[in-house]
Amino acid sequence: MTDVWEPRAVADRAGAVAEAVARLTRAAGDRRPCAPVRDVLGATDISLAYAVQQRVVADRIAAGSRVVGRKIGLTSASVQRQVGVDRPDFGVLLADMDVSALPAVPSERLLQPRVEAEIAFVLAADLDDEDLDLERVRSAVAYGVAALEIVDSRVADWDIAITDTVADNASSGLFVLGAERVELKAFEPRDVRMRLYADGELASEGDGTACLGDPLAALLWLARTAREFGDPLRAGQVVLSGALGPLVPTPPGVTVRAEMSGLGTVTATFSAGSADTAASAGSADASDASDSSDSSKEQG
């Protein structure tokens, strides 16, 4: 059974969704972060935030992109405490977010990037059954891959509550998949040990238990939740299952490498081109984007 969220009353829900979509879309298009959207959505109305996410994703699909999978966020207890929630969230992966084949991660496409190392699962079967359990989810996985998720936020200074990150497609940015494909019979996701290096220096470490106790448990949560949203996981899709360790900032020019036991390595170099002046311009732009500065400081 998935979580059911109680919506907070918002007088004009359609208007709130439209305003949040416009703000996030403008931030992405102008390459300048915006004020938090919780001032129009409320800090706890998860259903309203997902309505914004669906609109943002639909607009990107209409512009020519296509869905290739999902990402699970807020799987770490420490991050959940930071944002003030007790459950994960999810976002949609689009084809143009996969930069695995590029010689460098395009820093100019990012505003405030951070990277986390994860296990990516590629599905061999649909997960739309009525009774989904861990055994069914395990059998649907074709293979696992070491992955880097480059998270990003259209909200200035990462000043986010749960509704901000959900509306912003779970703070999705880009992702990189490793080359080694490993079937589940050859490794156990919860036992994977991870070390993440930035320019050769150890910057983050952890293991599979950091991801809801087991990355397969995270996949099960997503499969049930996606099915209840009427958009179940499908064969061929990629699922980024959640961070195995703390986030690491990724300024232009940095090279990050994750080593994962049983899955090999995945490496990404960020282009030297500036990721705009987004971080420095964010606070000023946020003030322009919303006059509701007091309400936008609420925490979820």
Side-chain angles (χ1 to χ4, degrees):
M1 192 76 177
T2 55
D3 296 309
V4 176
W5 296 290
E6 292 296 332
R8 166 182 163 178
V10 172
D12 179 7
R13 294 177 70 81
V17 169
E19 167 59 25
V21 169
R23 190 180 298 180
L24 293 168
T25 301
R26 184 167 57 246
D30 293 347
R31 318 306 306 148
R32 296 173 71 86
C34 63
V37 294
R38 61 183 177 272
D39 62 337
V40 295
L41 301 178
T44 59
D45 194 335
I46 307 295
S47 62
L48 198 59
Y50 274 116
V52 175
Q53 181 189 121
Q54 290 169 343
R55 281 273 305 276
V56 169
V57 170
D59 288 347
R60 289 185 63 177
I61 292 171
S65 194
R66 61 183 175 85
V67 175
V68 296
R70 311 286 174 85
K71 63 153 284 185
I72 312 171
L74 300 173
T75 54
S76 159
S78 62
V79 175
Q80 288 183 359
R81 286 192 296 270
Q82 177 186 356
V83 179
V85 299
D86 61 357
R87 69 204 71 192
D89 69 350
F90 73 87
V92 178
L93 299 179
L94 299 167
D96 56 3
M97 294 165 61
D98 183 356
V99 294
S100 306
L102 298 183
V105 175
S107 294
E108 65 276 6
R109 287 180 55 185
L110 301 163
L111 280 73
Q112 308 169 94
R114 302 173 182 179
V115 71
E116 55 191 27
E118 309 188 6
I119 299 171
F121 296 115
V122 176
L123 301 180
D126 296 348
L127 284 171
D128 56 358
D129 310 56
E130 279 190 28
D131 298 317
L132 289 172
D133 57 19
L134 209 55
E135 179 80 15
R136 176 70 188 94
V137 163
R138 179 183 286 271
S139 69
V141 173
Y143 56 85
V145 181
L148 296 171
E149 184 189 356
I150 300 128
V151 296
D152 201 7
S153 180
R154 271 52 63 180
V155 176
D157 303 319
W158 279 92
D159 178 17
I160 59 173
I162 182 64
T163 48
D164 297 301
T165 186
V166 167
D168 192 22
N169 198 21
S171 300
S172 296
L174 306 171
F175 66 94
V176 178
L177 301 179
E180 190 171 349
R181 301 176 175 184
V182 184
E183 295 181 6
L184 283 182
K185 64 184 180 183
F187 81 104
E188 188 58 48
R190 64 174 287 113
D191 295 335
V192 169
R193 294 286 307 172
M194 180 279 296
R195 286 177 174 258
L196 178 65
Y197 298 85
D199 286 340
E201 297 291 328
L202 182 63
S204 177
E205 60 183 325
D207 59 43
T209 62
C211 180
L212 290 185
D214 184 343
L216 287 174
L219 178 58
L220 174 59
W221 173 86
L222 175 63
R224 289 173 171 172
T225 303
R227 183 193 59 195
E228 290 194 2
F229 268 77
D231 189 13
L233 300 178
R234 297 299 184 187
Q237 291 188 336
V238 178
V239 175
L240 299 179
S241 60
L244 304 187
L247 292 160
V248 175
T250 52
V254 71
T255 295
V256 294
R257 183 183 83 259
E259 299 175 351
M260 298 190 197
S261 60
L263 287 170
T265 65
V266 56
T267 302
T269 296
F270 287 72
S271 67
S274 171
D276 294 12
T277 55
S280 60
S283 297
D285 240 33
S287 298
D288 294 339
S290 174
D291 293 328
S292 306
S293 57
D294 291 336
S295 61
S296 70
K297 292 298 181 184
E298 297 174 9
Q299 291 298 322

